[in-house]
Amino acid sequence: MRVTYAGAVRVLIVDGANVVGSRPNGWWRDRAGAAERLHQALAESDLGYDVVLLVLEGAAKRGVPDGETGAIQTVHAPGSGDDTIVDQVRARSMAGDDVVVVTADRALRERVAVAGGSHVGPSWLLARMA
């Protein structure tokens, strides 16, 4: 469901794999559980965005269903998570939304900029979820 606002919609897209992978806490032993914990932390945080979209790929997709769950929209990448993120940025930017992607991936950050978005690093997000 898309809510209409008077101005641009502020969209935060979270690169699930990159954010989870930014902390060496054993996430690789339970990728689905790590995705579920990230989703829960996002849902419990006031991040100041109209839309928070979590992109999951691979085994992490088993942790959270595709679609809207509460305040978080989850998208399961059919292939590359990076490609799905860039597609989301491009579509939402073309619709006039202000899109920010959470990732530390340099190549993805460059692709996001070309698609019309900006970026912040995982530490920015993690500090707001603490």
Side-chain angles (χ1 to χ4, degrees):
M1 176 175 96
R2 183 175 170 107
V3 178
T4 304
Y5 296 88
V9 175
R10 297 185 69 230
V11 180
L12 183 69
I13 299 177
V14 179
D15 179 350
N18 192 268
V19 171
V20 166
S22 69
R23 294 190 285 186
N25 59 7
W27 59 265
W28 53 90
R29 290 188 290 270
D30 181 13
R31 293 171 195 262
E36 183 178 16
R37 289 186 296 278
L38 174 58
H39 182 275
Q40 184 65 36
L42 289 169
E44 293 172 354
S45 301
D46 181 9
L47 300 171
Y49 283 80
D50 302 313
V51 175
V52 177
L53 189 140
L54 173 61
V55 176
L56 299 175
E57 60 186 309
K61 295 189 290 190
R62 291 192 314 267
V64 182
D66 190 52
E68 261 185 72
T69 308
I72 309 301
Q73 295 178 15
T74 302
V75 173
H76 287 179
S80 161
D82 289 3
D83 290 345
T84 298
I85 290 167
V86 171
D87 290 345
Q88 288 286 329
V89 171
R90 186 176 299 112
R92 290 171 182 271
S93 293
M94 289 178 67
D97 295 345
D98 177 23
V99 184
V100 177
V101 174
V102 181
T103 189
D105 182 314
R106 286 187 188 130
L108 178 57
R109 291 188 319 224
E110 290 174 11
R111 293 178 65 195
V112 163
V114 169
S118 59
H119 65 84
V120 294
S123 61
W124 175 91
L125 177 64
L126 295 171
R128 281 153 183 79
M129 293 190 317

